[in-house]
């Protein structure tokens, strides 16, 4: 079975622009979570969606938003990009919420110039 | 407050040595879950183990073993007879049953195994 897939792999944007990152979970997984990983740090939780509803939100500004589609794929949107948004954005899928292990995709490397 | 602390930033060992990676967590929940992940140079996080707060039994999987001690809020990871392929960044993570489904990751321990 295919693992978690993310697109694009790399992205370069300019300050103030908007970006959309995409994630497809493992087949059968209904939960998708998004994380931001800055170089040298652990992943920081942004959102979790389960059955198309937001089930968790980390400490990120309102410029960050996400949604989950009926096929359980997900998009992460970031508006008004700042230099500090440059990071690896990771998507993880799981069968459920807090108690389930999450399986991570390869990530999208976002560079904001 | 930081929920997961991995005090060891970097560790280097010679191949075949044993190494223990420390993880200390903080939570007020009585029901919680602990995880270890490996992030090799390729960048993709790989799930290693999940433990719930009611199961303090130590676990062994091949060269890997985990020691969960609620009394000290620790969930340590030992690699026996380390190999070069073990070189990676290892993350410990915590999720709480009533904590909004958020995973809290530590800052990671970078392990280098020298041949």
């Amino acid at each position: 079975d295919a693992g978690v897939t993310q697109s694009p792999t790399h992205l370069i944007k300019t300050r103030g622009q908007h970006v959309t990152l995409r994630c497809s979970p493992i087949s059968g997984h209904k939960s998708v979570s998004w994380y931001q990983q800055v170089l040298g740090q652990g992943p920081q939780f942004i959102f979790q969606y389960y059955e198309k509803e937001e089930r968790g939100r980390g400490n990120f500004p309102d410029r960050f938003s996400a949604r989950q589609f009926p096929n359980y794929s997900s998009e992460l949107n970031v508006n008004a990009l700042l230099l500090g948004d440059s990071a690896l954005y990771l998507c993880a899928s799981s069968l459920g919420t807090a108690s389930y292990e999450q399986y991570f995709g390869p990530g999208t490397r976002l560079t904001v110039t | 407050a930081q929920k997961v602390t991995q005090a060891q930033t970097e560790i280097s060992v010679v191949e075949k040595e044993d190494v223990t990676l420390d993880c200390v967590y903080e939570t007020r929940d009585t029901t919680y879950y602990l995880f270890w992940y490996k992030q090799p140079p390729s960048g993709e996080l790989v799930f290693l183990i999940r433990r719930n707060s009611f199961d303090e039994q130590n676990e062994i999987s091949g060269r890997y073993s985990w020691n969960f001690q609620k009394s000290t809020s620790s969930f340590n990871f030992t690699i026996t007879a380390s190999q070069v392929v073990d070189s990676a960044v290892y993350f410990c993570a915590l999720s709480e049953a009533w904590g909004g489904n958020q995973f809290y990751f530590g800052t990671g321990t970078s392990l280098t195994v020298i041949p």
Side-chain angles (χ1 to χ4, degrees):
Chain A
D1 283 344
V4 178
T5 59
Q6 292 186 244
S7 63
T9 306
H10 295 88
L11 205 52
I12 299 175
K13 290 287 190 177
T14 305
R15 275 177 299 176
Q17 285 188 318
H18 162 271
V19 67
T20 298
L21 310 181
R22 294 178 175 83
C23 171
S24 291
I26 292 170
S27 177
H29 284 193
K30 298 181 178 180
S31 177
V32 169
S33 297
W34 287 95
Y35 294 83
Q36 180 194 68
Q37 187 178 23
V38 174
L39 196 63
Q41 298 293 319
Q44 295 293 312
F45 175 78
I46 308 176
F47 287 110
Q48 184 182 75
Y49 278 77
Y50 177 69
E51 288 281 17
K52 302 177 285 294
E53 291 187 2
E54 183 184 300
R55 292 299 188 94
R57 174 185 284 256
N59 189 24
F60 279 80
D62 292 343
R63 299 184 296 108
F64 289 76
S65 64
R67 55 179 175 168
Q68 187 177 33
F69 299 101
N71 66 353
Y72 302 110
S73 67
S74 178
E75 284 183 353
L76 175 70
N77 295 283
V78 187
N79 293 323
L81 285 166
L82 303 173
L83 294 179
D85 295 330
S86 295
L88 179 67
Y89 287 85
L90 297 165
C91 173
S93 80
S94 60
L95 287 169
T97 54
S99 63
Y100 291 87
E101 61 268 23
Q102 298 187 346
Y103 295 89
F104 284 80
T108 294
R109 173 71 64 186
L110 173 64
T111 302
V112 182
T113 63
Chain B
Q2 191 168 352
K3 299 270 189 175
V4 178
T5 301
Q6 294 180 257
Q8 304 152 307
T9 305
E10 296 182 3
I11 299 177
S12 291
V13 298
V14 176
E15 200 171 20
K16 297 184 183 177
E17 285 185 343
D18 299 346
V19 59
T20 295
L21 310 182
D22 297 334
C23 172
V24 174
Y25 62 91
E26 176 188 336
T27 180
R28 294 181 180 178
D29 276 13
T30 55
T31 302
Y32 53 90
Y33 309 91
L34 296 164
F35 306 82
W36 274 96
Y37 284 85
K38 174 182 180 180
Q39 189 171 39
S42 61
E44 192 160 337
L45 280 155
V46 177
F47 166 73
L48 296 177
I49 189 172
R50 166 190 175 277
R51 253 305 177 253
N52 73 56
S53 53
F54 299 109
D55 183 3
E56 284 195 76
Q57 202 169 15
N58 292 332
E59 182 158 340
I60 298 175
S61 176
R63 296 184 297 106
Y64 294 171
S65 62
W66 290 269
N67 183 284
F68 175 27
Q69 291 195 338
K70 288 178 73 171
S71 61
T72 56
S73 297
S74 65
F75 186 43
N76 296 337
F77 172 30
T78 297
I79 302 174
T80 303
S82 60
Q83 300 177 0
V84 172
V85 293
D86 296 327
S87 296
V89 180
Y90 291 85
F91 291 98
C92 180
L94 163 76
S95 71
E96 298 162 324
W98 305 106
N101 300 313
Q102 180 168 349
F103 267 54
Y104 298 92
F105 280 81
T107 51
T109 296
S110 178
L111 173 66
T112 301
V113 180
I114 303 165

